[in-house]
Amino acid sequence: MLVAPIVEVKNLTKRFGNTVVLRGINLTVERGTVLGVLGPNGAGKTTAINCLTTLLTPDGGEATIAGYNVVEQPEAVRSLIGLTGQFAAVDEVLTARENLILFSRLLRLSGGAAKRRATELLTQFDLLEAADRQVKTFSGGMRRRLDLAASIVVSPLVLFLDEPTTGLDPRSRQQLWAVVKDLKAQGITIILTTQYLEEADALADQIVVIDQGQVIAKGTVDELKDKVGGKFCELRLANLEDYEKVKDLLSDMGEVIVGEMGKEGPIAIAAPDGANTLTEVVLRLESANIPLADISLRRPSLDDVFFSLTGHTT
Amino acid sequence: MMTQKLAQPELDPDTIAAMVAARREGGLQRTLHDIVVVAWRNMLIDFRNPASLVVSALFSTSLLFVFTASFAQVVTPGEGFSGYAQFLLPFASVQGLMFNTVDIGVFFYNDLENGMDIRLRAMPIARLSAIGGRLLSSGARLLIQVATIVLAGHLIGFRFQGGLLGAIGFFLLPVVFTLSLALIGFYIAVGAKSAETVSAVLNPWILPFTFLSVGYVPIEGFPDWAQPIVTRNPVSILSEAMRSLASGEPALQNVIIILLCSLALCLLFGTLTVRAYQRRI
Amino acid sequence: MSNSKENMRATKVEAIAPEISALAQKMIAKRQETGWRRAIVDSWLITGRNLIRLKRNPIIIVAIAIFPIVFLAGFWIVGQKLMATQGVNYIQYLVPIINLQALFFAGLGSALMFAQDIESGMMDRCRAMPIARIATIAGLVMAYMVRALLSTLILLLVAFAIFGFRFQGSVIDALGYLLLIVIFTATCITGYSVLAIKLRRPDLVNAVAIIPYTPLLLLSNGFSPTENFPTWLQPIIRYQPVSVTSDALRSLVAGGSNSLPLFGFSLLWLVGLLVVFGVWAKNAYKQLV
């Protein structure tokens, strides 16, 4: 028997007044995987999430969670999902524990079970020490973790994370990533929007790129990277005046690509032979007495992917 | 990148000294200039987001109308409404301005909290430009309110009978007094932990001061025990001074008392605020 | 949308792997959000949360107790002697409107909390959870109802103990007083919730919310009898809802024989407004996000 994906979205459209925000989004998510939804500000990521979490009614198209239609059976859908919105939606003057108990009770846990679950979550999210402090004393990272904990009080089938690490410092971000990976390991299906390409790189099995209300690319991280091409040899010149000379020297190996930062930034050349290409470049420049500031071999980043798909960066 | 030509000239001690001199913080002219610039920024924000300004101006105007409508016949039975308007307007403006001290205190707290103050402190500008700028822009805000209420009062029969000098005094006196009161708000704001604290500390004081004054009703209307308090209440004295200024009667004694009160408040809370401000961070 | 068993079955159940489908149905059955018992439990939980928030606000004691009492004392000192010349016992006259004012300010406060919930994303979080739809609103109304009644209790006690206010009506009059107060509070909160939903930003709500105070409270016969207003204003003053309600409350306080028609008129006004605001708020709430 062919098994349908746990989340299925077909031709979803939404407009606000005259502004068309979603122009027919299609996606599918398999159970237990993480889907990364990438896109610049205003691409329609949050609107799409709001439609899937029953906060907004789409104008057209169809979306189902585990077979339940988000428009026709919103109550059922809400029982299956968890949502962590863009802003840490927890009460400032309540303590972390009180916040979690409140949500546990709202999700039908009994008084005792709610308390136990709160303690469990506080431990799991490394908030036990701060459990009885009012949330207004929390750092941004702690707030985010609490926010996430509140969304998985009862383990949902599908968890929606809308830009979960926006505004966090690198360490808090790492901590949050670890939590998300842990949730994935528990078998929770996760849909995650982000502006950070490295975040999608670190967490997502599948990626869709949304721009101006449309899906402009989808696939695994590797597939998307292959779309842009293979490896690159990237170099920085010590003296910018050497640029023309380098271009001539390497002309038979391929075109020298100038990045966003112009000649002052790193320049690159396709490296079909990997390390051999790099060695060749070093040898040629050395014999021509052209000093290098830096040289490396790298795969295209999702930034490159995004740039080549949309013509603009995130 | 290292090979890029330096955009800046070679740095020798003379150039650096010139830079420092050009941006020197001290000096009276410099201080005034900086304060005006910060005040200008504050006023721009007020005008771009005018809800609070408009509402507080409308609120004191509406108090004037409503109390004229509901108390004129009680306080001055048999007379028209314009007589009571002439009596009430000075106080209605004072009351409106006094309610503003809470807002001003909260604005100053927000200045301190939202990063504006830190930015100003890190710039080579006068040290007191945050306080001075907020005070100055608040003064402008208060003047707008007095103007609004005077214009509105004109409709119900309020008239200046005391000449230009009296009118200028009428506008400036309550603003000066209210700003010196606002310094109390500043002092609280510097030490407060939340905007709510600022309004919770300030709010309860304003009502008794306004109620226990010859604002709504003349002194004879008060119970005997309250009369001595009412006559000595600065709000009463200010209302009386403004009434005299508006109607062209001698007002010098009351004006001097109010100015002395303001000066005392300024010296006390100005010093306290500045010291607390310097110790903040 | 009905909450029949049929509705709890997925539309495309045959295509979903059976074990997920079974799990989903179990989850849905367990957390099912509809039904009146759910509505009560959820509303109660949200009320509890709102009450904690109210309790931890440093300004609350000022808002609940000090503010109304200062207003009572202020108007009393200012108006007592003058009103006595008109033959009005001012403390008996004044307490009902000061009480209504306290309830009105409770409504104003609720708008602020509501707007904060919308801005912080709390409202979205609750709406995306399988909880009764009514719970967020009911929780707000009930928490502020508690605040309003507490404020009323303190005010009446102080008015009784310090200012010599006396309730001269019967027990039935007292119940009528209580009923009007509860409905007045509900009407204020519902009306203000429309403002909160429309404006959304707490700072804007804070700036604008005072506007209805002047025409509704001050331009009423609550502080000064209707006859003291200009003749052309008197019809409006006499029949506007706050005047009608304070007339009714004063009559109940005095235990007069003509309380019933005044009570009925007031009830008509308040319930009518409540229905209008309620429908308006509900429609506006649907368009939130």
Side-chain angles (χ1 to χ4, degrees), chain A residues 55-128:
Chain A
L55 292 177
L56 275 179
T57 311
D59 295 329
E62 197 188 56
T64 54
I65 310 277
Y68 291 87
N69 187 298
V70 297
V71 179
E72 283 150 28
Q73 298 164 301
E75 307 99 355
V77 168
R78 286 191 283 264
S79 302
L80 305 175
I81 61 168
L83 166 66
T84 302
Q86 262 187 36
F87 306 99
V90 283
D91 272 318
E92 296 241 306
V93 297
L94 266 61
T95 65
R97 194 188 300 276
E98 284 168 338
N99 265 298
L100 290 177
I101 289 177
L102 171 72
F103 291 116
S104 308
R105 296 297 306 274
L106 283 171
L107 290 169
R108 320 289 170 229
L109 267 60
S110 67
K115 274 185 199 142
R116 280 194 300 279
R117 182 63 181 146
T119 310
E120 240 170 72
L121 285 167
L122 288 165
T123 318
Q124 187 188 341
F125 286 77
D126 198 17
L127 289 168
L128 205 54

Coordinates of all heavy atoms in Angstrom, one line a residue, chain A residues 55-128:
Chain A
L55 N -4.6 28.9 12.1 CA -4.7 30.3 12.6 C -5.4 31.2 11.5 O -6.1 32.1 11.7 CB -3.4 30.9 13.0 CG -2.8 30.4 14.3 CD1 -1.4 31.0 14.5 CD2 -3.7 30.6 15.4
L56 N -5.0 30.8 10.2 CA -5.6 31.5 9.1 C -6.3 30.5 8.2 O -5.9 29.4 8.1 CB -4.4 32.1 8.2 CG -3.9 33.5 8.6 CD1 -2.7 33.8 7.6 CD2 -4.9 34.5 8.6
T57 N -7.4 31.0 7.6 CA -8.1 30.2 6.6 C -7.5 30.5 5.2 O -7.6 31.6 4.8 CB -9.6 30.4 6.6 OG1 -10.0 30.4 8.0 CG2 -10.3 29.4 5.8
P58 N -7.0 29.5 4.5 CA -6.4 29.8 3.2 C -7.6 30.1 2.2 O -8.7 29.7 2.4 CB -5.7 28.5 2.8 CG -6.3 27.4 3.7 CD -6.7 28.1 4.9
D59 N -7.2 30.8 1.1 CA -8.3 31.1 0.1 C -8.5 30.0 -0.8 O -9.6 29.8 -1.3 CB -7.9 32.3 -0.7 CG -7.8 33.6 0.2 OD1 -8.5 33.7 1.2 OD2 -7.0 34.5 -0.1
G60 N -7.5 29.2 -1.1 CA -7.7 28.1 -2.0 C -6.7 27.0 -1.7 O -5.7 27.2 -0.9
G61 N -6.9 25.8 -2.4 CA -5.9 24.7 -2.2 C -6.3 23.9 -1.0 O -7.4 24.1 -0.4
E62 N -5.5 22.9 -0.7 CA -5.8 21.9 0.3 C -4.6 21.6 1.2 O -3.5 21.5 0.6 CB -6.3 20.6 -0.4 CG -7.1 19.7 0.6 CD -7.4 18.4 -0.1 OE1 -6.4 17.7 -0.5 OE2 -8.6 18.0 -0.1
A63 N -4.8 21.4 2.4 CA -3.7 21.0 3.3 C -4.2 20.0 4.3 O -5.3 20.2 4.9 CB -3.1 22.2 4.0
T64 N -3.5 18.9 4.5 CA -3.9 17.9 5.5 C -2.7 17.6 6.4 O -1.6 17.6 6.0 CB -4.4 16.6 4.8 OG1 -3.3 16.2 3.9 CG2 -5.6 16.8 4.0
I65 N -3.1 17.3 7.6 CA -2.1 16.8 8.6 C -2.6 15.5 9.0 O -3.7 15.3 9.5 CB -2.1 17.7 9.9 CG1 -1.9 19.2 9.5 CG2 -1.0 17.2 10.9 CD1 -0.5 19.7 9.3
A66 N -1.8 14.4 8.8 CA -2.2 13.0 9.1 C -3.6 12.7 8.5 O -4.4 12.0 9.1 CB -2.2 12.7 10.6
G67 N -3.9 13.3 7.3 CA -5.1 13.1 6.7 C -6.3 14.0 7.1 O -7.3 14.0 6.5
Y68 N -6.0 14.8 8.1 CA -7.1 15.7 8.5 C -6.9 17.1 7.8 O -5.9 17.7 7.8 CB -7.0 16.0 10.1 CG -7.4 14.7 10.8 CD1 -6.5 13.8 11.2 CD2 -8.8 14.5 11.2 CE1 -6.8 12.6 11.8 CE2 -9.1 13.4 11.9 CZ -8.2 12.4 12.2 OH -8.5 11.3 12.9
N69 N -8.1 17.5 7.3 CA -8.0 18.8 6.5 C -8.0 20.0 7.4 O -8.8 20.1 8.3 CB -9.3 18.8 5.6 CG -9.2 20.0 4.7 OD1 -9.2 21.1 5.1 ND2 -9.2 19.7 3.4
V70 N -7.1 20.9 7.2 CA -6.9 22.0 8.2 C -8.1 23.0 8.1 O -8.3 23.7 9.1 CB -5.6 22.8 7.9 CG1 -4.4 22.0 8.2 CG2 -5.6 23.4 6.6
V71 N -8.8 23.0 7.0 CA -10.0 23.9 6.9 C -11.2 23.3 7.5 O -12.0 23.9 8.2 CB -10.2 24.4 5.5 CG1 -11.4 25.3 5.4 CG2 -9.0 25.1 5.0
E72 N -11.4 22.0 7.1 CA -12.7 21.3 7.5 C -12.6 20.8 8.9 O -13.6 20.6 9.5 CB -13.0 20.3 6.5 CG -13.6 20.8 5.2 CD -13.2 20.0 4.0 OE1 -13.1 18.7 4.2 OE2 -13.1 20.5 2.9
Q73 N -11.4 20.4 9.3 CA -11.4 19.7 10.7 C -10.3 20.4 11.5 O -9.4 19.7 12.0 CB -11.0 18.3 10.5 CG -12.1 17.5 9.7 CD -11.6 16.2 9.2 OE1 -10.6 16.2 8.4 NE2 -12.2 15.1 9.6
P74 N -10.5 21.7 11.7 CA -9.4 22.4 12.5 C -9.2 21.9 13.9 O -8.1 21.9 14.4 CB -9.9 23.9 12.5 CG -11.3 23.8 12.2 CD -11.5 22.6 11.3
E75 N -10.3 21.5 14.6 CA -10.2 21.0 15.9 C -9.3 19.8 16.0 O -8.4 19.6 16.8 CB -11.5 20.6 16.6 CG -12.6 21.7 16.5 CD -13.5 21.4 15.4 OE1 -13.3 20.5 14.7 OE2 -14.5 22.2 15.3
A76 N -9.5 18.9 15.0 CA -8.7 17.7 15.0 C -7.2 18.0 14.7 O -6.3 17.5 15.4 CB -9.2 16.7 13.9
V77 N -7.0 18.9 13.8 CA -5.6 19.3 13.5 C -4.9 19.9 14.7 O -3.8 19.5 15.0 CB -5.6 20.3 12.3 CG1 -4.2 20.9 12.1 CG2 -6.1 19.6 11.0
R78 N -5.6 20.7 15.4 CA -5.0 21.3 16.6 C -4.6 20.3 17.7 O -3.7 20.6 18.5 CB -5.9 22.4 17.2 CG -6.0 23.7 16.4 CD -6.7 24.8 17.1 NE -8.1 24.6 17.2 CZ -9.0 25.2 16.3 NH1 -8.5 26.0 15.4 NH2 -10.3 25.0 16.4
S79 N -5.3 19.2 17.7 CA -4.9 18.1 18.6 C -3.6 17.4 18.2 O -3.0 16.7 19.0 CB -6.0 17.1 18.7 OG -7.2 17.7 19.1
L80 N -3.2 17.6 17.0 CA -2.1 16.8 16.5 C -0.8 17.6 16.4 O 0.3 17.1 16.1 CB -2.4 16.2 15.1 CG -3.7 15.4 15.0 CD1 -4.0 15.0 13.5 CD2 -3.6 14.2 15.8
I81 N -0.9 18.9 16.5 CA 0.2 19.8 16.2 C 0.7 20.5 17.4 O 0.0 20.6 18.4 CB -0.1 20.8 15.1 CG1 -1.3 21.7 15.6 CG2 -0.5 20.2 13.8 CD1 -1.5 23.0 14.8
G82 N 1.9 21.0 17.3 CA 2.4 22.0 18.3 C 3.0 23.2 17.5 O 3.5 23.0 16.4
L83 N 2.9 24.4 18.1 CA 3.4 25.6 17.3 C 4.3 26.4 18.2 O 3.9 26.7 19.4 CB 2.2 26.4 16.9 CG 2.5 27.8 16.4 CD1 3.3 27.8 15.1 CD2 1.2 28.7 16.2
T84 N 5.4 26.7 17.7 CA 6.3 27.7 18.4 C 6.4 28.9 17.4 O 7.0 28.8 16.4 CB 7.7 27.1 18.7 OG1 7.5 26.0 19.5 CG2 8.5 28.1 19.4
G85 N 5.7 30.0 17.8 CA 5.6 31.1 16.9 C 6.9 31.9 16.9 O 7.9 31.6 17.5
Q86 N 6.9 33.0 16.1 CA 8.1 33.8 16.0 C 8.5 34.5 17.3 O 9.6 34.8 17.5 CB 7.8 34.9 14.9 CG 8.4 34.4 13.6 CD 8.3 35.5 12.5 OE1 8.4 36.7 12.8 NE2 8.1 35.2 11.3
F87 N 7.5 34.8 18.1 CA 7.8 35.5 19.3 C 7.6 34.5 20.5 O 6.7 33.7 20.4 CB 6.9 36.7 19.6 CG 6.9 37.6 18.4 CD1 5.9 37.6 17.4 CD2 8.0 38.5 18.2 CE1 5.9 38.4 16.3 CE2 8.0 39.3 17.1 CZ 7.0 39.3 16.2
A88 N 8.5 34.6 21.4 CA 8.4 33.6 22.5 C 7.1 33.9 23.3 O 7.1 34.8 24.1 CB 9.6 33.7 23.4
A89 N 6.1 33.1 23.0 CA 4.8 33.3 23.6 C 4.6 32.7 24.9 O 4.0 31.6 25.1 CB 3.7 32.9 22.6
V90 N 5.3 33.2 25.9 CA 5.2 32.7 27.3 C 4.9 33.9 28.2 O 5.3 35.0 27.8 CB 6.4 31.9 27.8 CG1 6.5 30.6 27.2 CG2 7.7 32.7 27.4
D91 N 4.3 33.7 29.3 CA 4.0 34.8 30.2 C 5.2 35.3 31.0 O 5.8 34.5 31.7 CB 2.8 34.4 31.1 CG 1.5 34.6 30.5 OD1 1.3 35.7 29.8 OD2 0.6 33.8 30.6
E92 N 5.4 36.6 30.8 CA 6.6 37.2 31.5 C 6.5 37.1 33.0 O 7.5 36.9 33.7 CB 6.7 38.7 31.2 CG 6.9 38.9 29.7 CD 8.2 39.7 29.5 OE1 8.3 40.7 30.1 OE2 9.0 39.2 28.8
V93 N 5.3 37.3 33.6 CA 5.3 37.4 35.1 C 5.0 36.1 35.7 O 5.0 35.9 36.9 CB 4.2 38.4 35.5 CG1 4.6 39.8 35.1 CG2 2.9 38.1 35.1
L94 N 4.8 35.0 34.8 CA 4.6 33.7 35.4 C 6.0 33.1 35.4 O 6.9 33.4 34.6 CB 3.7 32.9 34.5 CG 2.2 32.8 35.0 CD1 1.6 34.2 34.9 CD2 1.4 31.9 34.1
T95 N 6.2 32.1 36.3 CA 7.5 31.4 36.4 C 7.5 30.4 35.2 O 6.4 30.1 34.7 CB 7.7 30.7 37.7 OG1 6.7 29.7 37.8 CG2 7.6 31.6 38.9
A96 N 8.7 29.8 34.9 CA 8.8 28.8 33.9 C 7.9 27.7 34.2 O 7.1 27.2 33.3 CB 10.2 28.4 33.7
R97 N 7.9 27.3 35.5 CA 7.1 26.1 35.9 C 5.6 26.4 35.7 O 4.9 25.6 35.2 CB 7.4 25.7 37.3 CG 6.9 24.4 37.7 CD 7.1 24.1 39.2 NE 8.5 24.2 39.7 CZ 9.3 23.1 39.6 NH1 9.0 22.0 39.1 NH2 10.6 23.3 40.1
E98 N 5.2 27.6 36.1 CA 3.8 27.9 36.0 C 3.3 28.0 34.6 O 2.2 27.5 34.3 CB 3.5 29.3 36.7 CG 3.5 29.3 38.2 CD 3.5 30.7 38.8 OE1 4.0 31.6 38.1 OE2 3.1 30.8 40.0
N99 N 4.2 28.5 33.7 CA 3.8 28.5 32.3 C 3.6 27.1 31.8 O 2.6 26.8 31.1 CB 5.0 29.1 31.5 CG 4.8 30.6 31.2 OD1 3.8 31.0 30.6 ND2 5.7 31.4 31.8
L100 N 4.5 26.2 32.1 CA 4.4 24.8 31.6 C 3.2 24.1 32.2 O 2.5 23.3 31.5 CB 5.7 24.0 31.9 CG 6.9 24.5 31.0 CD1 8.1 23.7 31.4 CD2 6.6 24.3 29.6
I101 N 2.9 24.3 33.5 CA 1.8 23.7 34.1 C 0.5 24.2 33.4 O -0.4 23.4 33.1 CB 1.8 23.9 35.6 CG1 2.9 23.1 36.3 CG2 0.4 23.5 36.2 CD1 3.0 23.4 37.8
L102 N 0.4 25.5 33.2 CA -0.7 26.0 32.5 C -1.0 25.3 31.2 O -2.1 24.9 30.9 CB -0.6 27.5 32.2 CG -1.6 28.2 31.4 CD1 -2.9 28.3 32.1 CD2 -1.2 29.5 30.8
F103 N 0.0 25.2 30.3 CA -0.2 24.6 29.0 C -0.5 23.1 29.2 O -1.3 22.5 28.4 CB 1.0 24.8 28.1 CG 1.2 26.2 27.7 CD1 2.2 27.0 28.1 CD2 0.1 26.8 27.0 CE1 2.3 28.3 27.7 CE2 0.2 28.2 26.6 CZ 1.3 28.9 27.0
S104 N 0.1 22.4 30.2 CA -0.2 21.0 30.4 C -1.6 20.8 30.8 O -2.3 19.9 30.3 CB 0.7 20.4 31.5 OG 2.0 20.7 31.3
R105 N -2.1 21.7 31.7 CA -3.5 21.6 32.1 C -4.4 21.8 30.9 O -5.4 21.2 30.7 CB -3.8 22.6 33.2 CG -3.1 22.4 34.5 CD -3.4 21.0 35.1 NE -4.8 20.8 35.3 CZ -5.5 21.3 36.4 NH1 -4.9 21.9 37.4 NH2 -6.8 21.0 36.5
L106 N -4.1 22.8 30.1 CA -4.9 23.1 28.9 C -4.9 21.9 27.9 O -5.8 21.8 27.1 CB -4.4 24.4 28.2 CG -4.8 25.7 28.8 CD1 -4.0 26.8 28.2 CD2 -6.3 25.9 28.8
L107 N -3.9 21.1 28.0 CA -3.8 19.9 27.1 C -4.3 18.7 27.8 O -3.9 17.6 27.5 CB -2.4 19.8 26.5 CG -2.1 20.9 25.5 CD1 -0.6 20.8 25.1 CD2 -2.9 20.7 24.2
R108 N -5.1 18.9 28.9 CA -5.8 17.8 29.5 C -5.0 16.9 30.4 O -5.4 15.8 30.7 CB -6.6 16.9 28.5 CG -7.2 17.6 27.3 CD -8.4 18.3 27.8 NE -8.9 19.1 26.7 CZ -9.2 20.4 26.8 NH1 -9.1 21.0 28.0 NH2 -9.6 21.1 25.8
L109 N -3.8 17.4 30.8 CA -3.1 16.6 31.8 C -3.8 16.9 33.2 O -4.2 18.0 33.4 CB -1.6 16.9 31.9 CG -0.7 16.1 31.0 CD1 -1.1 16.1 29.5 CD2 0.7 16.5 31.2
S110 N -3.8 15.9 34.1 CA -4.4 16.2 35.4 C -3.4 17.0 36.2 O -2.2 17.2 35.8 CB -4.6 14.8 36.1 OG -3.3 14.2 36.4
G111 N -3.8 17.5 37.3 CA -2.9 18.4 38.1 C -1.6 17.8 38.4 O -0.5 18.4 38.1
G112 N -1.6 16.5 38.9 CA -0.3 15.9 39.3 C 0.5 15.6 38.1 O 1.7 15.9 38.0
A113 N -0.1 15.1 37.0 CA 0.6 14.8 35.8 C 1.2 16.1 35.2 O 2.3 16.1 34.7 CB -0.3 14.1 34.8
A114 N 0.5 17.2 35.3 CA 1.0 18.4 34.7 C 2.3 18.8 35.5 O 3.2 19.3 34.8 CB -0.1 19.5 34.9
K115 N 2.3 18.7 36.8 CA 3.4 19.1 37.6 C 4.6 18.2 37.2 O 5.7 18.7 37.0 CB 3.2 18.9 39.1 CG 2.5 20.2 39.6 CD 2.4 20.1 41.1 CE 1.3 21.1 41.6 NZ 0.5 20.6 42.6
R116 N 4.4 16.9 37.1 CA 5.4 16.0 36.7 C 6.0 16.3 35.3 O 7.2 16.3 35.1 CB 4.9 14.5 36.8 CG 4.9 13.9 38.1 CD 4.7 12.4 38.1 NE 3.5 12.0 37.4 CZ 2.3 12.0 38.0 NH1 2.1 12.4 39.3 NH2 1.2 11.6 37.3
R117 N 5.1 16.5 34.4 CA 5.5 16.8 33.0 C 6.3 18.1 33.0 O 7.3 18.2 32.3 CB 4.3 16.9 32.1 CG 4.6 17.2 30.7 CD 5.3 16.0 30.1 NE 5.6 16.2 28.6 CZ 6.7 15.8 28.0 NH1 7.6 15.1 28.7 NH2 6.9 16.1 26.8
A118 N 5.9 19.1 33.8 CA 6.6 20.4 33.8 C 8.1 20.1 34.3 O 9.0 20.6 33.6 CB 5.9 21.4 34.7
T119 N 8.2 19.4 35.3 CA 9.5 19.1 35.8 C 10.4 18.4 34.8 O 11.6 18.7 34.6 CB 9.5 18.3 37.1 OG1 8.6 18.9 38.0 CG2 10.8 18.2 37.8
E120 N 9.7 17.4 34.2 CA 10.4 16.6 33.1 C 11.0 17.5 32.0 O 12.1 17.4 31.6 CB 9.4 15.7 32.5 CG 9.7 14.2 32.5 CD 8.4 13.5 32.1 OE1 8.1 13.5 30.9 OE2 7.7 12.9 33.0
L121 N 10.1 18.4 31.6 CA 10.5 19.3 30.5 C 11.5 20.3 30.9 O 12.5 20.6 30.2 CB 9.2 20.1 30.0 CG 8.3 19.3 29.1 CD1 7.0 20.0 28.9 CD2 8.9 18.9 27.7
L122 N 11.4 20.8 32.1 CA 12.4 21.7 32.6 C 13.8 21.1 32.7 O 14.8 21.7 32.4 CB 12.0 22.2 34.0 CG 10.8 23.2 34.0 CD1 10.2 23.3 35.4 CD2 11.2 24.5 33.5
T123 N 13.8 19.8 33.1 CA 15.0 19.1 33.1 C 15.6 18.9 31.7 O 16.7 19.2 31.4 CB 14.8 17.7 33.7 OG1 14.0 17.8 34.9 CG2 16.2 17.1 34.1
Q124 N 14.7 18.4 30.8 CA 15.1 18.1 29.4 C 15.7 19.4 28.7 O 16.6 19.3 27.9 CB 13.9 17.6 28.7 CG 14.3 17.1 27.3 CD 13.0 16.7 26.5 OE1 11.9 16.5 27.1 NE2 13.1 16.7 25.2
F125 N 15.1 20.5 29.0 CA 15.5 21.8 28.4 C 16.5 22.6 29.2 O 16.7 23.8 28.9 CB 14.2 22.6 28.0 CG 13.5 22.1 26.9 CD1 12.6 21.0 27.0 CD2 13.6 22.6 25.6 CE1 11.9 20.5 26.0 CE2 12.9 22.1 24.5 CZ 12.0 21.0 24.7
D126 N 17.0 22.0 30.3 CA 18.1 22.6 31.0 C 17.6 23.9 31.7 O 18.3 24.9 31.6 CB 19.3 22.9 30.1 CG 20.5 23.1 30.9 OD1 20.5 22.7 32.1 OD2 21.5 23.6 30.3
L127 N 16.4 23.9 32.2 CA 15.8 25.1 32.8 C 15.5 24.9 34.3 O 14.8 25.7 34.9 CB 14.6 25.5 32.1 CG 14.8 26.1 30.7 CD1 13.4 26.2 30.0 CD2 15.4 27.4 30.7
L128 N 15.9 23.7 34.8 CA 15.5 23.3 36.2 C 15.9 24.4 37.2 O 15.1 24.7 38.1 CB 16.0 22.0 36.5 CG 15.2 21.2 37.6 CD1 13.8 21.1 37.1 CD2 15.8 19.8 37.8

